[in-house]
Amino acid sequence: MRILLSGADGQLGREANSMLASRGELLCTTLEGVDGSEALDLADDSALHDLLQRFRPDLIFNAAAYTAVDRAEEERDLAHAINGEAPGHMARWAAQAGAGLVHFSTDYVFDGRKGAPYREADSVAPINVYGESKLAGERAVQASGCRHVILRTSWVYASHGANFVLKMLELGRNRDSLNVVSDQVGRPTWAANLARYAMAAVDAGLLDEAELSLLHASDAGAMSWFEFAHLIFDTALAQNLIETAPTLHEVGSDAFPTPARRPASSVLGTGLLRERVGIDPTPVKDSLAACLGQLNTLRVVA
């Protein structure tokens, strides 16, 4: 099988790389062509089309995305080009070639007002440009008629890249106290688990089941950013990654004004993941411990 992995240097792409490499001939792409990958700008339709025509993948694993939520408010066209138009281009090519597409979306397609976990069939209503662009990508893939599965996820982190976990540890080393938002709730998800959930969905045959082509895939355990920060520092202390933890203070979202609004509660319900894929999402506590364990390993090696 020939597999195209976009965004190979991102949080998800790096975790998916080894899983995909064991399944066939893998071509990795990144924006800059780093680490032996092929350079690909997803905002360039012609470059994307040329690559698809040349490599002719049997499976496209689209781990690339425009994820700068606040900057997207000013870069609407670029966000839509990468998150909306590029997945549609991939999907239409896949439909003609008979290829499969694994695509990823976000909890930010919801407005956060439901007050209960969101199911796949719930009405979408994004409240920022990033969410709009990801929803456009979902709809373009679904309209293409290609074999596909879309996984919505939330609050992704890893032992590499730019994410909330690494930012908290960095700030905690330099400050005695931190203010953390407590009025936004979601489900933190380790990128390694997200890659595993996606491959399990492929192995379960969901690429060929149109009625199950959209899944929510997040780790188990809803919490606020404040609660997640507490868990991060507690886990880091237990693993001797830090000597002391800062004092954490709860604040509202209004303490950190941002260009883009965030949903107050974007908890994803993962019942279909359990029922049709046979995956029990890993508890956030266990996922975080494994992720920080990777950081400990890297520190020892260094």
Side-chain angles (χ1 to χ4, degrees):
M1 181 164 61
R2 297 163 70 85
I3 306 169
L4 173 64
L5 169 62
S6 66
D9 58 341
Q11 294 184 118
L12 175 58
R14 287 179 60 176
E15 300 294 345
N17 196 314
S18 59
M19 297 183 194
L20 293 170
S22 66
R23 293 169 176 256
E25 180 184 354
L26 178 63
L27 175 64
C28 295
T29 72
T30 62
L31 179 60
E32 304 292 343
V34 298
D35 299 329
S37 65
E38 185 156 337
L40 176 64
D41 182 356
L42 287 181
D44 186 339
D45 278 350
S46 61
L48 174 57
H49 182 76
D50 290 347
L51 178 63
L52 291 169
Q53 286 291 91
R54 173 164 46 86
F55 184 62
R56 301 198 67 81
D58 302 298
L59 177 67
I60 303 168
F61 195 96
N62 184 29
Y66 180 107
T67 57
V69 176
D70 289 319
R71 198 162 68 239
E73 297 297 309
E74 296 182 355
E75 297 181 343
R76 174 184 294 269
D77 290 346
L78 182 58
H80 275 271
I82 295 172
N83 292 343
E85 296 166 20
H89 194 130
M90 292 177 183
R92 289 187 294 273
W93 184 92
Q96 294 178 350
L101 170 63
V102 179
H103 180 63
F104 296 86
S105 191
T106 174
D107 56 327
Y108 279 22
V109 299
F110 299 111
D111 62 15
R113 298 177 182 176
K114 182 181 178 182
Y118 282 98
R119 301 184 180 218
E120 288 81 354
D122 284 336
S123 297
V124 291
I127 58 175
N128 55 46
V129 171
Y130 169 71
E132 291 173 3
S133 69
K134 294 298 288 184
L135 179 58
E138 287 187 16
R139 289 175 169 168
V141 171
Q142 292 167 331
S144 72
C146 78
R147 300 165 53 239
H148 70 273
V149 60
I150 300 168
L151 292 93
R152 287 183 185 142
T153 192
S154 57
W155 296 20
V156 178
Y157 66 90
S159 58
H160 47 84
N163 57 69
F164 183 78
V165 172
L166 298 185
K167 187 65 174 179
M168 284 293 102
L169 292 176
E170 177 189 352
L171 292 174
R173 292 187 182 100
N174 301 309
R175 300 185 188 179
D176 294 328
S177 66
L178 295 173
N179 295 332
V180 186
V181 169
S182 62
D183 59 359
Q184 294 174 20
V185 179
R187 292 176 65 165
T189 304
W190 186 26
N193 281 339
L194 179 57
R196 180 170 61 88
Y197 301 154
M199 297 316 303
V202 171
D203 291 340
L206 266 63
L207 285 172
D208 299 303
E209 295 191 37
E211 73 279 6
L212 288 174
S213 61
L214 177 63
L215 283 177
H216 289 173
S218 293
D219 283 340
M223 59 188 66
S224 68
W225 290 117
F226 176 79
E227 292 168 326
F228 190 31
H230 258 297
L231 183 60
I232 291 166
F233 287 115
D234 288 347
T235 307
L237 282 170
Q239 295 193 12
N240 297 314
L241 273 171
I242 56 176
E243 294 182 0
T244 59
T247 301
L248 301 182
H249 303 283
E250 295 185 62
V251 297
S253 301
D254 55 359
F256 296 102
T258 57
R261 296 167 58 203
R262 267 70 168 176
S265 179
S266 56
V267 177
L268 298 177
T270 53
L272 278 181
L273 188 68
R274 290 186 178 90
E275 295 168 14
R276 303 309 296 268
V277 182
I279 287 284
D280 281 321
T282 305
V284 173
K285 181 178 180 180
D286 297 339
S287 297
L288 180 63
C291 178
L292 294 190
Q294 288 183 348
L295 283 179
N296 239 334
T297 301
L298 291 173
R299 186 180 64 170
V300 170
V301 171

